[in-house]
Amino acid sequence: MLHSSRVIAIVLLSAVFLSASNALVLAQDARDKPKSTWPIESKSVVTKTTEGVTAVTLTDEPVMRIALSTGTSAATISTTARLLNVSEIDTNNQPLETTRVRVESRMLTPSHVVNDRSYEMTLATSLSREDADRLSDSVRQDVGEQPQVVVDYTDKWKVIIQKQSNAEIEETRAKLDDAGFEVVAVRETQKQPPNTATAKSPLSTSSAASANKIKYTARAASPTRELIAFARGTAPSFRSSAPLIFASSDEKNGPVRFNDKPFRGKIEVFANTHGSVTVVNVIGLEDYVRGVVPNELSYPALEALKAQAIAARTYAVKNRGQFSSEGFDLLPTTRSQVYRGLTSETSLTSQAVEQTRGVIATYNGEAINALYTSTCGGRTEDAENIFNTAIPYLRGRECAVEGKAAFAPFIIKSSRDIFEIKDERDLVYARDVALLAVNGFALPTDKVSSSWLSSHVTESEARDWLNAAARLARMAAFKAPDDATKTPAFSTALMAAVYGDRRADTLLNSADADYLLSFRDGEEVPTANRADVAMLLRDGDLSLFADATLRPKEAMPRSHALHAIARLLESKNLLAFQKGTSRPAASGIMMLRSNKGKDLPIAVSTEAFLFREFGEHLHQMKSLALVGGEPVGFHVSAKGQVDYLEVRPANNGAAADRFSSLSNWTAQLNLGAVQARLGRSVRGIGSISDLRIAKQGSSRRVIDLEVIGTQGVAHIRGGRIRSALGLKEQLFVIDRVYNENDRVASFIFTGRGWGHGVGMCQFGAYGLAKQGLNVEQILKTYYTGIELTKMY
């Protein structure tokens, strides 16, 4: 079933607030109060049958309990409207005479302390005292916890951390994992009642656990403590031994606030077992999801946001009650889902929540554990390779649309015929022809071929091309000579057309020219042209033949003449050639990323010259894909359309998560850093000398890292690899840097992605939405065999 229908009987104790005279009325004992249900559970109804499995949905929206704080010394609750005390469910709210209260937890009876359970987390056992102290110091410095070194057995020691609640255990475990420390075991212990002297400390108070170890938050979590509320000054306004639930008289215009931060729903405050207060936001599931989506995925693509909304809602339904023993369902952090309340909501993310209201992802009729990761690096991973448990719907998947259809929305096409280029060396000249053609040069683009390029330039061609170059350089007085087909004369005419002065002859002396013309037939270049030829060769505008000759007495090939013109004009920014970085194209429209973060649309002509880089060369194409992130060069015609476009592959490739800044990353760790990080996870192998990838998962993630030491070999497996090394992901390869003794000095990790890599890729969802996929297609890309089910 999606969600079993259960009724949780709770007992509410209410505090009756003071009147203007501040008279105190104590709350009636909870056992005399009528019982109510909390949260409000919904009736279930059958909606469909899949392969004999009955799918059950809820008829009403569930209520969520989100812990905003689990260890604050005081909670300030306020509103800009009127503050209400919600003493019981489905009863009239009691208005307060103040809009702001501060709630603290105090001892009821300092001498009355009962037995309580605490938790003991073991980090290591059977250590020498020296090793135990070293581990304890590392935890203290890196994590900020205060571990204890205690006797394990004769001459052996263990390192433990003690906590008062399961929630504290979970938070501490997360910090330890992130820092690369391993938790060996966690056990519940019975704490003995302290003596009268120690009972005076608030941290010494506790409550007896119920038989089933479940504490419902509408009960006072600690019978030894009470809540004291202060409205003004230092005098208490009222007291209560039961949880206090606050609401606003006008939630829409003046929501209830915790520490001045607004939240939908209600705020409940109760005393917990470790001497502080827990603050819980009691809120409907839909409003909770409103406060999650913008904090988990903020990119503006509605279908991706809808996918995030369904994933967040499904995760909440599946994990509801995860921290029920502590009085709430979920944490507002990455340990559950990031939730920041009302101020984080946006109109687009709220639209995504509204359009998917009540919809969750199910597998065989059950709500799935909708895990998601920020950036999967192009592939997600099988759940068992990271979390040690195989889950049928959490399988490794490609973060992309399958087949050629993946690029269909981004295709730019041209009707222009391709030049007949047969020789690789002519590829650069094809680019020159196209660039000069869109800049007004009279070129027979329908006849361009390797044969045409290698043929000698004619007098009329040389004259027309030189005059066209002078027009672009604004040299109105220039007139091309009649005989400029040979390289020396052409070079001098080109320098005059572009610069209009004797630049080369002024800046190069005879020795410079002789030095630059020291090729096989360099002496054959006439004196009058030597400086011009030398400067053009020096700057890469002129080309020699393969046999290191210029052949100055022959008419030059068209390719050399055009290349010299194009190179020189481009170096002076006279070809109106622009550069940029693309965003995903749409319907033949090229999108460019502006410096202001906006997409600038430019139409591409259907007759544009299209070039794409493969290897070292640009090749002319009939069509190409702009998936976003490609470096592009282009020319815009007088009509405002791109008539020349050259594209280089995007650094982040074409995976759907390519928009993430962490789709590719590199990290370098020296041997000392690796020893410090992995030394916490592997022991008894001496000094670490090398690392080896022993096994990869379906996504090529490292799932077994072999750690080679001077005294042995150890392994780190599963999802701990990332946290142990302190890397962003475990989809990586390893390169080694060696010292002068041919020993490994450091490791270079080249990787992709950020997160655990299981389930939906959030940046990938955005990329798929940009490719035109809808919410259902996006979710089914990442979650295998699921269906979307409407709960209510």
Side-chain angles (χ1 to χ4, degrees), residues 11 40 85 90 117 150 170 228 262 305 342 376 410 451 468 489 497 508 514 561 710 720 723 738 791:
V11 181
I40 299 175
N85 169 35
D90 296 331
R117 289 176 173 83
V150 298
E170 291 294 330
I228 302 180
L305 293 172
L342 187 58
C376 70
F410 312 123
S451 175
L508 298 179
D514 291 342
T710 55
R720 296 209 63 258
S723 58
Y738 295 89
M791 290 194 303

PDB file of all heavy atoms in Angstrom, residues 11 40 85 90 117 150 170 228 262 305 342 376 410 451 468 489 497 508 514 561 710 720 723 738 791:
ATOM      1  N   VAL A  11      -2.259  12.619  23.424  1.00  0.00           N
ATOM      2  CA  VAL A  11      -2.890  13.353  24.507  1.00  0.00           C
ATOM      3  C   VAL A  11      -2.336  14.765  24.502  1.00  0.00           C
ATOM      4  O   VAL A  11      -1.134  14.955  24.488  1.00  0.00           O
ATOM      5  CB  VAL A  11      -2.585  12.699  25.875  1.00  0.00           C
ATOM      6  CG1 VAL A  11      -3.275  13.477  26.997  1.00  0.00           C
ATOM      7  CG2 VAL A  11      -3.063  11.261  25.859  1.00  0.00           C
ATOM      8  N   ILE A  40      -3.451  14.338  11.160  1.00  0.00           N
ATOM      9  CA  ILE A  40      -4.746  13.952  10.615  1.00  0.00           C
ATOM     10  C   ILE A  40      -4.509  12.968   9.502  1.00  0.00           C
ATOM     11  O   ILE A  40      -4.012  13.320   8.447  1.00  0.00           O
ATOM     12  CB  ILE A  40      -5.502  15.188  10.099  1.00  0.00           C
ATOM     13  CG1 ILE A  40      -5.746  16.179  11.254  1.00  0.00           C
ATOM     14  CG2 ILE A  40      -6.813  14.782   9.449  1.00  0.00           C
ATOM     15  CD1 ILE A  40      -6.375  17.462  10.815  1.00  0.00           C
ATOM     16  N   ASN A  85      -2.840  30.516  20.328  1.00  0.00           N
ATOM     17  CA  ASN A  85      -2.416  29.303  21.007  1.00  0.00           C
ATOM     18  C   ASN A  85      -3.370  28.193  20.601  1.00  0.00           C
ATOM     19  O   ASN A  85      -4.565  28.235  20.889  1.00  0.00           O
ATOM     20  CB  ASN A  85      -2.455  29.495  22.527  1.00  0.00           C
ATOM     21  CG  ASN A  85      -2.286  28.165  23.260  1.00  0.00           C
ATOM     22  OD1 ASN A  85      -1.566  27.293  22.803  1.00  0.00           O
ATOM     23  ND2 ASN A  85      -2.961  28.034  24.400  1.00  0.00           N
ATOM     24  N   ASP A  90      -8.850  20.726  16.273  1.00  0.00           N
ATOM     25  CA  ASP A  90     -10.279  20.887  16.001  1.00  0.00           C
ATOM     26  C   ASP A  90     -11.022  21.596  17.144  1.00  0.00           C
ATOM     27  O   ASP A  90     -12.184  21.349  17.405  1.00  0.00           O
ATOM     28  CB  ASP A  90     -10.947  19.531  15.727  1.00  0.00           C
ATOM     29  CG  ASP A  90     -10.400  18.878  14.475  1.00  0.00           C
ATOM     30  OD1 ASP A  90      -9.971  19.624  13.575  1.00  0.00           O
ATOM     31  OD2 ASP A  90     -10.409  17.644  14.420  1.00  0.00           O
ATOM     32  N   ARG A 117      17.000   6.522  28.581  1.00  0.00           N
ATOM     33  CA  ARG A 117      17.900   5.850  27.656  1.00  0.00           C
ATOM     34  C   ARG A 117      18.733   6.885  26.910  1.00  0.00           C
ATOM     35  O   ARG A 117      18.248   7.952  26.576  1.00  0.00           O
ATOM     36  CB  ARG A 117      17.100   4.995  26.661  1.00  0.00           C
ATOM     37  CG  ARG A 117      16.482   3.756  27.292  1.00  0.00           C
ATOM     38  CD  ARG A 117      15.631   3.016  26.281  1.00  0.00           C
ATOM     39  NE  ARG A 117      15.148   1.745  26.780  1.00  0.00           N
ATOM     40  CZ  ARG A 117      14.080   1.599  27.548  1.00  0.00           C
ATOM     41  NH1 ARG A 117      13.392   2.663  27.905  1.00  0.00           N
ATOM     42  NH2 ARG A 117      13.703   0.411  27.980  1.00  0.00           N
ATOM     43  N   VAL A 150      37.572   4.987  26.311  1.00  0.00           N
ATOM     44  CA  VAL A 150      37.242   4.156  27.468  1.00  0.00           C
ATOM     45  C   VAL A 150      37.859   2.774  27.294  1.00  0.00           C
ATOM     46  O   VAL A 150      38.200   2.348  26.186  1.00  0.00           O
ATOM     47  CB  VAL A 150      35.708   4.033  27.638  1.00  0.00           C
ATOM     48  CG1 VAL A 150      35.095   5.394  27.899  1.00  0.00           C
ATOM     49  CG2 VAL A 150      35.077   3.391  26.425  1.00  0.00           C
ATOM     50  N   GLU A 170      21.875  10.617  14.297  1.00  0.00           N
ATOM     51  CA  GLU A 170      21.833  10.742  12.837  1.00  0.00           C
ATOM     52  C   GLU A 170      22.646  11.942  12.360  1.00  0.00           C
ATOM     53  O   GLU A 170      23.384  11.866  11.389  1.00  0.00           O
ATOM     54  CB  GLU A 170      20.384  10.861  12.354  1.00  0.00           C
ATOM     55  CG  GLU A 170      19.561   9.600  12.505  1.00  0.00           C
ATOM     56  CD  GLU A 170      20.069   8.496  11.601  1.00  0.00           C
ATOM     57  OE1 GLU A 170      20.613   8.806  10.528  1.00  0.00           O
ATOM     58  OE2 GLU A 170      19.945   7.318  11.977  1.00  0.00           O
ATOM     59  N   ILE A 228       8.434  27.673  29.521  1.00  0.00           N
ATOM     60  CA  ILE A 228       8.141  28.989  30.080  1.00  0.00           C
ATOM     61  C   ILE A 228       8.169  29.994  28.932  1.00  0.00           C
ATOM     62  O   ILE A 228       9.146  30.062  28.183  1.00  0.00           O
ATOM     63  CB  ILE A 228       9.159  29.394  31.169  1.00  0.00           C
ATOM     64  CG1 ILE A 228       9.163  28.342  32.293  1.00  0.00           C
ATOM     65  CG2 ILE A 228       8.826  30.771  31.718  1.00  0.00           C
ATOM     66  CD1 ILE A 228      10.132  28.670  33.394  1.00  0.00           C
ATOM     67  N   PRO A 262       9.371  33.308   8.480  1.00  0.00           N
ATOM     68  CA  PRO A 262       7.970  32.899   8.348  1.00  0.00           C
ATOM     69  C   PRO A 262       7.802  31.484   7.814  1.00  0.00           C
ATOM     70  O   PRO A 262       8.564  31.021   6.962  1.00  0.00           O
ATOM     71  CB  PRO A 262       7.405  33.922   7.354  1.00  0.00           C
ATOM     72  CG  PRO A 262       8.576  34.296   6.515  1.00  0.00           C
ATOM     73  CD  PRO A 262       9.772  34.269   7.435  1.00  0.00           C
ATOM     74  N   LEU A 305      10.905  21.183 -12.626  1.00  0.00           N
ATOM     75  CA  LEU A 305      10.425  21.542 -11.289  1.00  0.00           C
ATOM     76  C   LEU A 305       9.257  20.647 -10.870  1.00  0.00           C
ATOM     77  O   LEU A 305       9.129  20.293  -9.694  1.00  0.00           O
ATOM     78  CB  LEU A 305      10.016  23.008 -11.261  1.00  0.00           C
ATOM     79  CG  LEU A 305      11.157  24.011 -11.435  1.00  0.00           C
ATOM     80  CD1 LEU A 305      10.618  25.425 -11.584  1.00  0.00           C
ATOM     81  CD2 LEU A 305      12.139  23.942 -10.267  1.00  0.00           C
ATOM     82  N   LEU A 342       8.550  29.656   3.881  1.00  0.00           N
ATOM     83  CA  LEU A 342       7.787  30.537   3.015  1.00  0.00           C
ATOM     84  C   LEU A 342       8.653  31.460   2.167  1.00  0.00           C
ATOM     85  O   LEU A 342       8.371  31.695   0.992  1.00  0.00           O
ATOM     86  CB  LEU A 342       6.816  31.364   3.869  1.00  0.00           C
ATOM     87  CG  LEU A 342       5.794  32.235   3.155  1.00  0.00           C
ATOM     88  CD1 LEU A 342       4.923  31.403   2.248  1.00  0.00           C
ATOM     89  CD2 LEU A 342       4.957  32.976   4.179  1.00  0.00           C
ATOM     90  N   CYS A 376      24.712  13.823 -11.700  1.00  0.00           N
ATOM     91  CA  CYS A 376      25.083  12.404 -11.746  1.00  0.00           C
ATOM     92  C   CYS A 376      26.299  12.120 -12.616  1.00  0.00           C
ATOM     93  O   CYS A 376      26.774  10.987 -12.666  1.00  0.00           O
ATOM     94  CB  CYS A 376      23.904  11.555 -12.223  1.00  0.00           C
ATOM     95  SG  CYS A 376      23.504  11.791 -13.976  1.00  0.00           S
ATOM     96  N   PHE A 410      17.843  20.581 -30.799  1.00  0.00           N
ATOM     97  CA  PHE A 410      18.959  21.532 -30.826  1.00  0.00           C
ATOM     98  C   PHE A 410      19.613  21.668 -32.199  1.00  0.00           C
ATOM     99  O   PHE A 410      20.643  22.312 -32.339  1.00  0.00           O
ATOM    100  CB  PHE A 410      20.027  21.111 -29.816  1.00  0.00           C
ATOM    101  CG  PHE A 410      19.490  20.771 -28.466  1.00  0.00           C
ATOM    102  CD1 PHE A 410      19.731  19.527 -27.887  1.00  0.00           C
ATOM    103  CD2 PHE A 410      18.734  21.677 -27.756  1.00  0.00           C
ATOM    104  CE1 PHE A 410      19.229  19.207 -26.639  1.00  0.00           C
ATOM    105  CE2 PHE A 410      18.226  21.369 -26.510  1.00  0.00           C
ATOM    106  CZ  PHE A 410      18.464  20.134 -25.945  1.00  0.00           C
ATOM    107  N   SER A 451      40.643  21.156 -55.835  1.00  0.00           N
ATOM    108  CA  SER A 451      41.259  21.482 -57.120  1.00  0.00           C
ATOM    109  C   SER A 451      41.226  22.983 -57.376  1.00  0.00           C
ATOM    110  O   SER A 451      42.232  23.579 -57.810  1.00  0.00           O
ATOM    111  CB  SER A 451      40.528  20.736 -58.239  1.00  0.00           C
ATOM    112  OG  SER A 451      41.011  21.108 -59.499  1.00  0.00           O
ATOM    113  N   ALA A 468      38.707  44.380 -52.163  1.00  0.00           N
ATOM    114  CA  ALA A 468      37.709  44.066 -51.126  1.00  0.00           C
ATOM    115  C   ALA A 468      38.328  44.162 -49.726  1.00  0.00           C
ATOM    116  O   ALA A 468      37.695  44.649 -48.784  1.00  0.00           O
ATOM    117  CB  ALA A 468      37.142  42.671 -51.354  1.00  0.00           C
ATOM    118  N   ALA A 489      54.783  40.329 -54.856  1.00  0.00           N
ATOM    119  CA  ALA A 489      53.976  41.505 -55.189  1.00  0.00           C
ATOM    120  C   ALA A 489      52.635  41.478 -54.463  1.00  0.00           C
ATOM    121  O   ALA A 489      52.132  42.522 -54.008  1.00  0.00           O
ATOM    122  CB  ALA A 489      53.751  41.551 -56.705  1.00  0.00           C
ATOM    123  N   ALA A 497      46.988  47.490 -48.698  1.00  0.00           N
ATOM    124  CA  ALA A 497      45.519  47.517 -48.661  1.00  0.00           C
ATOM    125  C   ALA A 497      44.997  47.551 -47.240  1.00  0.00           C
ATOM    126  O   ALA A 497      43.984  48.204 -46.951  1.00  0.00           O
ATOM    127  CB  ALA A 497      44.970  46.294 -49.394  1.00  0.00           C
ATOM    128  N   LEU A 508      60.958  46.361 -39.785  1.00  0.00           N
ATOM    129  CA  LEU A 508      61.944  45.297 -39.974  1.00  0.00           C
ATOM    130  C   LEU A 508      63.134  45.836 -40.766  1.00  0.00           C
ATOM    131  O   LEU A 508      62.944  46.444 -41.826  1.00  0.00           O
ATOM    132  CB  LEU A 508      61.331  44.114 -40.734  1.00  0.00           C
ATOM    133  CG  LEU A 508      60.157  43.377 -40.078  1.00  0.00           C
ATOM    134  CD1 LEU A 508      59.666  42.254 -41.004  1.00  0.00           C
ATOM    135  CD2 LEU A 508      60.540  42.804 -38.726  1.00  0.00           C
ATOM    136  N   ASP A 514      66.154  39.049 -43.656  1.00  0.00           N
ATOM    137  CA  ASP A 514      66.961  37.901 -44.074  1.00  0.00           C
ATOM    138  C   ASP A 514      66.783  36.727 -43.118  1.00  0.00           C
ATOM    139  O   ASP A 514      66.733  35.560 -43.535  1.00  0.00           O
ATOM    140  CB  ASP A 514      68.445  38.302 -44.133  1.00  0.00           C
ATOM    141  CG  ASP A 514      68.726  39.285 -45.261  1.00  0.00           C
ATOM    142  OD1 ASP A 514      67.879  39.383 -46.179  1.00  0.00           O
ATOM    143  OD2 ASP A 514      69.765  39.954 -45.206  1.00  0.00           O
ATOM    144  N   ALA A 561      46.569  32.805 -51.241  1.00  0.00           N
ATOM    145  CA  ALA A 561      46.144  34.201 -51.307  1.00  0.00           C
ATOM    146  C   ALA A 561      44.961  34.451 -50.366  1.00  0.00           C
ATOM    147  O   ALA A 561      44.937  35.421 -49.595  1.00  0.00           O
ATOM    148  CB  ALA A 561      45.767  34.556 -52.737  1.00  0.00           C
ATOM    149  N   THR A 710      52.357  -0.107   3.035  1.00  0.00           N
ATOM    150  CA  THR A 710      53.671  -0.747   3.165  1.00  0.00           C
ATOM    151  C   THR A 710      53.586  -2.066   3.925  1.00  0.00           C
ATOM    152  O   THR A 710      54.500  -2.893   3.841  1.00  0.00           O
ATOM    153  CB  THR A 710      54.644   0.201   3.889  1.00  0.00           C
ATOM    154  OG1 THR A 710      54.067   0.583   5.149  1.00  0.00           O
ATOM    155  CG2 THR A 710      54.913   1.436   3.056  1.00  0.00           C
ATOM    156  N   ARG A 720      30.967   4.802   0.839  1.00  0.00           N
ATOM    157  CA  ARG A 720      31.913   5.412   1.766  1.00  0.00           C
ATOM    158  C   ARG A 720      33.155   5.938   1.052  1.00  0.00           C
ATOM    159  O   ARG A 720      33.918   6.707   1.612  1.00  0.00           O
ATOM    160  CB  ARG A 720      32.333   4.409   2.841  1.00  0.00           C
ATOM    161  CG  ARG A 720      31.200   3.951   3.747  1.00  0.00           C
ATOM    162  CD  ARG A 720      31.702   3.579   5.132  1.00  0.00           C
ATOM    163  NE  ARG A 720      32.287   4.697   5.829  1.00  0.00           N
ATOM    164  CZ  ARG A 720      33.597   4.908   5.970  1.00  0.00           C
ATOM    165  NH1 ARG A 720      34.473   4.074   5.445  1.00  0.00           N
ATOM    166  NH2 ARG A 720      34.040   5.947   6.622  1.00  0.00           N
ATOM    167  N   SER A 723      33.061   9.846   0.686  1.00  0.00           N
ATOM    168  CA  SER A 723      33.241  10.578   1.933  1.00  0.00           C
ATOM    169  C   SER A 723      34.622  10.341   2.525  1.00  0.00           C
ATOM    170  O   SER A 723      35.210  11.245   3.108  1.00  0.00           O
ATOM    171  CB  SER A 723      32.155  10.182   2.942  1.00  0.00           C
ATOM    172  OG  SER A 723      32.176   8.795   3.196  1.00  0.00           O
ATOM    173  N   TYR A 738      54.621  11.283  -9.814  1.00  0.00           N
ATOM    174  CA  TYR A 738      55.743  10.598  -9.164  1.00  0.00           C
ATOM    175  C   TYR A 738      56.840  11.583  -8.790  1.00  0.00           C
ATOM    176  O   TYR A 738      57.047  12.603  -9.463  1.00  0.00           O
ATOM    177  CB  TYR A 738      56.310   9.521 -10.088  1.00  0.00           C
ATOM    178  CG  TYR A 738      55.347   8.394 -10.371  1.00  0.00           C
ATOM    179  CD1 TYR A 738      54.454   8.460 -11.445  1.00  0.00           C
ATOM    180  CD2 TYR A 738      55.316   7.262  -9.563  1.00  0.00           C
ATOM    181  CE1 TYR A 738      53.552   7.430 -11.709  1.00  0.00           C
ATOM    182  CE2 TYR A 738      54.426   6.218  -9.813  1.00  0.00           C
ATOM    183  CZ  TYR A 738      53.554   6.320 -10.880  1.00  0.00           C
ATOM    184  OH  TYR A 738      52.669   5.292 -11.141  1.00  0.00           O
ATOM    185  N   MET A 791      -2.527  10.572  -5.141  1.00  0.00           N
ATOM    186  CA  MET A 791      -2.963  10.122  -3.816  1.00  0.00           C
ATOM    187  C   MET A 791      -4.297  10.725  -3.410  1.00  0.00           C
ATOM    188  O   MET A 791      -5.093  10.089  -2.750  1.00  0.00           O
ATOM    189  CB  MET A 791      -1.923  10.522  -2.764  1.00  0.00           C
ATOM    190  CG  MET A 791      -0.614   9.782  -2.823  1.00  0.00           C
ATOM    191  SD  MET A 791       0.302  10.078  -1.285  1.00  0.00           S
ATOM    192  CE  MET A 791       0.410  11.858  -1.257  1.00  0.00           C
TER     193      MET A 791
END
